[in-house]
Amino acid sequence: WCCVVRYVACRRAGELPQLQMFFRNLCTSAAVVSPAGIQAEALIRVKILAGLTDSQLERLAQARELHRVPQWRVIVKQGERGDAMYLILEGELRVRLLTGDKETILSTLGPGEFFGDLSLFDQGPRSADVVANTDSTVLRFTATAFETLAKEAPALAAPFLLATVRTLAARIRADNKRLGNSVKFANAAGI
């Protein structure tokens, strides 16, 4: 949050003509812009990146690809081999399974969330489709980029990996609870 507050304060102060000369250098350093045009305040909204410093965010942004996704576009397709995870900066996406013509929505994701994380580690088949409900902006982070980051900047890769694993653990616990509740319901109903 420090980076965001610093950015907003600099931005507002920098808009006053009388103060521009004092805030010019400070504001440009607070709004870290990566080569892909990604600003630090956009990355801070991604929960797994919240604990990183401005310089770590800048380094991480260099390993990612910014994608603007139009509404209704399928970003990942169930069964296709994956090699990247995606961090959501803007928009809304749905995770779905298709059975024939029937769509089952597993989850709705928004800014600050991520998907495709398993493919970052095993490059296996996608377990579901992810579709943009609205025009969205995502960052694509490939398995190759993560491997390079782990070799060149382990001090950055470690907190990223730990935050990702914590989120995965929370998802697995929630899924186990839902499955347990479904089994209890089925047993109680005699199914």
Side-chain angles (χ1 to χ4, degrees):
W1 290 109
C2 281
C3 180
V4 174
V5 171
R6 194 170 62 228
Y7 174 76
V8 171
C10 286
R11 182 96 152 172
R12 288 189 180 152
E15 290 172 357
L16 297 172
Q18 304 87 335
L19 297 177
Q20 283 179 346
M21 64 184 206
F22 297 109
F23 287 92
R24 188 171 296 125
N25 292 337
L26 182 59
C27 290
T28 55
S29 66
V32 176
V33 179
S34 76
I38 304 163
Q39 294 186 340
E41 72 273 5
L43 293 176
I44 287 175
R45 291 190 319 221
V46 178
K47 295 169 191 145
I48 62 172
L49 305 180
L52 301 180
T53 66
D54 288 359
S55 61
Q56 287 176 317
L57 289 171
E58 181 179 17
R59 172 70 170 102
L60 201 58
Q62 293 171 358
R64 297 170 192 266
E65 302 166 9
L66 185 66
H67 291 268
R68 305 224 186 270
V69 183
Q71 184 178 27
W72 312 126
R73 169 86 36 97
V74 175
I75 301 170
V76 300
K77 187 149 184 64
Q78 181 181 4
E80 288 184 351
R81 189 174 161 89
D83 70 342
M85 72 181 287
Y86 296 81
L87 307 175
I88 305 166
L89 298 182
E90 297 174 342
E92 181 183 89
L93 307 155
R94 71 181 181 275
V95 181
R96 72 174 186 192
L97 292 176
L98 290 178
T99 307
D101 291 337
K102 183 175 165 85
E103 175 181 272
T104 302
I105 297 174
L106 302 176
S107 181
T108 301
L109 306 172
E113 297 182 284
F114 63 91
F115 63 94
D117 33 283
L118 294 179
S119 291
L120 187 65
F121 305 109
D122 72 358
Q123 292 85 49
R126 301 285 186 184
S127 59
D129 294 341
V130 178
V131 181
N133 286 342
T134 63
D135 290 346
S136 302
T137 304
V138 297
L139 288 174
R140 184 172 183 265
F141 190 36
T142 66
T144 303
F146 180 75
E147 289 171 14
T148 300
L149 186 69
K151 288 177 188 169
E152 295 176 2
L156 174 56
F160 173 79
L161 182 59
L162 185 58
T164 303
V165 169
R166 284 184 179 143
T167 302
L168 285 171
R171 288 177 182 172
I172 290 169
R173 288 184 195 284
D175 287 343
N176 286 345
K177 185 175 180 178
R178 277 191 293 273
L179 179 60
N181 289 338
S182 295
V183 169
K184 286 179 189 176
F185 177 77
N187 288 339
I191 299 175

